[in-house]
């Protein structure tokens, strides 16, 4: 019986790379994001490999999230694998110079959005007495770095929620995992720096992780035997020791 995975943030970066590897491995996909043109193009691409359904919503919009998840066609339910990947950093400023709009975007998207998506899927998984939730945290979930303040807080929350989910869902046979990447070359820095040229410098002078590196780890996690749960994975590029030490040429 084919499994179905719902991936948030499937329109670029880690989410898109994960959609591609899962499609190649015959997993049905429910792909989510805000950019409809990209969702349509990805559906065209991956429908050649597997069954694909797309949902366009902003994870911050709780009524849209619950409405759209409630209306997933029955061929794609129940969801067996939830990959909570949607998220971004907005700004890199000392706390005294941060903007409330950036803070709202990070707390509402990275934390509350993850909860809004998880709630209806967890209900399905509890009914099924099985399921696998993968939350994409960050090295910023494990340590705080200068100017990282609110982004780090949002990812620390993802780490805490992962642990809380693992505890509360333990009686229901549901696996819960967090994958915490360091520097991955995606659209992340374009978003963080709002398209400013500095975004192009973030990954220069060393070999950063690529989205496919994280997608492969996600695929490894979801293909472990039933009795094995990868609970917490911290992954850096070799050149990175922590959030502030990166060996550059
Ligand atoms: P990208 O910017 O390439 O991808 C982010 C994805 O999230 C997009 O598909 C975007 O889709 C979606 N997204 C963002 N905000 C929302 C929202 N409010 N509602 C719905 N979808 C949203 O970055 P990454 O692939 O790098 O990021 C994926 C995850 O990995 C994030 O949680 C990020 O924090 C985390 N991460 C990234 C690292 C890095 O260095 N790149 C390192 C550690 C963790 P759309 O715009 O179409 O809605
Ligand atoms: C993304 C990695 O170092 O920019 O979560 O926080 S970092």
């Amino acid at each position: 019986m084919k499994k179905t995975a719902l991936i948030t943030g499937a329109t670029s970066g880690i989410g898109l790379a994960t959609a591609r590897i899962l499609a190649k491995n015959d997993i049905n996909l429910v792909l989510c994001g805000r950019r409809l043109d990209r969702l349509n193009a990805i559906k065209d691409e991956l429908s050649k490999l597997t069954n694909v359904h797309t949902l366009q919503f902003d994870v911050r919009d709780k009524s849209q999230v619950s409405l759209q998840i409630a209306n997933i066609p029955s061929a794609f339910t129940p969801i067996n694998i939830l990959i909570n990947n949607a998220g971004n950093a907005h700004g890199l400023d000392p706390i005294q110079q941060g903007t409330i709009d950036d803070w709202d975007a990070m707390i509402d998207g990275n934390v509350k959005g993850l909860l809004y998506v998880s709630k209806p899927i967890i209900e399905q998984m509890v009914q099924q007495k099985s399921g696998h939730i993968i939350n994409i945290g960050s090295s910023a979930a494990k340590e705080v770095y200068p100017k990282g303040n609110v982004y780090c807080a949002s990812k620390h929350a993802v780490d805490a929620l992962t642990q809380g989910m693992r505890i509360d869902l333990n009686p229901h046979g549901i696996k819960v995992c967090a994958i915490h990447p360091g520097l991955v070359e995606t659209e992340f820095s374009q978003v963080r720096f709002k398209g400013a040229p500095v975004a192009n410098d973030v990954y220069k002078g060393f070999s950063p992780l690529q989205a496919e590196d994280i997608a492969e780890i996600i695929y490894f996690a979801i293909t472990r035997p039933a009795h094995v749960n990868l609970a917490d994975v911290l992954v850096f590029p070799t050149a990175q020791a922590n959030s502030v030490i990166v060996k550059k040429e």
Side-chain angles (χ1 to χ4, degrees):
M1 176 94 167
K2 276 181 80 165
K3 288 193 169 172
T4 301
L6 184 148
I7 306 174
T8 65
T11 54
S12 74
I14 295 168
L16 175 54
T18 304
R20 286 185 169 135
I21 198 167
L22 268 51
K24 271 189 220 147
N25 287 283
D26 211 24
I27 294 174
N28 289 331
L29 295 173
V30 178
L31 302 179
C32 313
R34 290 167 299 184
R35 288 171 285 183
L36 188 59
D37 53 336
R38 291 208 187 185
L39 284 172
N40 289 338
I42 295 160
K43 184 174 181 179
D44 283 351
E45 175 193 333
L46 298 184
S47 292
K48 297 179 181 84
L49 299 169
T50 191
N51 301 309
V52 180
H53 182 69
T54 55
L55 301 177
Q56 185 197 19
F57 57 68
D58 186 322
V59 294
R60 295 171 293 183
D61 184 341
K62 62 184 164 208
S63 54
Q64 272 303 312
V65 170
S66 60
L67 182 72
Q68 296 218 31
I69 291 180
N71 285 311
I72 294 173
S74 60
F76 292 87
T77 59
I79 302 293
N80 309 106
I81 302 157
L82 167 62
I83 302 173
N84 276 317
N85 164 76
N88 275 115
H90 298 273
L92 182 70
D93 301 299
I95 194 84
Q96 65 275 21
Q97 287 166 21
T99 72
I100 287 177
D101 283 349
D102 282 346
W103 296 350
D104 280 346
M106 290 185 277
I107 300 291
D108 292 349
N110 302 356
V111 184
K112 292 165 68 181
L114 180 147
L115 286 167
Y116 297 157
V117 172
S118 298
K119 185 166 176 52
I121 309 290
I122 285 173
E123 284 163 9
Q124 291 180 21
M125 289 179 171
V126 167
Q127 265 192 345
Q128 296 295 312
K129 300 188 187 340
S130 70
H132 199 159
I133 300 171
I134 307 230
N135 293 329
I136 304 303
S138 168
S139 50
K142 300 291 185 182
E143 57 182 321
V144 179
Y145 55 83
K147 304 181 191 173
N149 45 67
V150 176
Y151 179 66
C152 295
S154 75
K155 290 299 184 174
H156 274 63
V158 172
D159 192 20
L161 288 169
T162 304
Q163 294 178 52
M165 287 179 181
R166 197 159 48 242
I167 293 164
D168 294 344
L169 299 176
N170 172 275
H172 302 285
I174 297 167
K175 295 187 189 188
V176 184
C177 162
I179 296 175
H180 299 290
L183 291 158
V184 191
E185 187 173 19
T186 62
E187 294 176 19
F188 178 86
S189 291
Q190 295 296 333
V191 175
R192 167 170 255 178
F193 296 109
K194 306 176 202 317
V198 64
N200 300 320
D201 298 336
V202 175
Y203 310 109
K204 280 195 182 143
F206 72 107
S207 292
L209 293 166
Q210 299 299 313
E212 292 71 21
D213 297 320
I214 306 305
E216 284 176 5
I217 294 168
I218 293 171
Y219 184 64
F220 180 79
I222 64 176
T223 51
R224 292 311 83 211
H227 67 288
V228 178
N229 179 33
L230 251 67
D232 192 76
V233 181
L234 176 63
V235 51
F236 284 122
T238 304
Q240 185 175 15
N242 63 26
S243 292
V244 292
I245 298 177
V246 181
K247 182 173 177 287
K248 295 196 176 183
E249 299 304 319

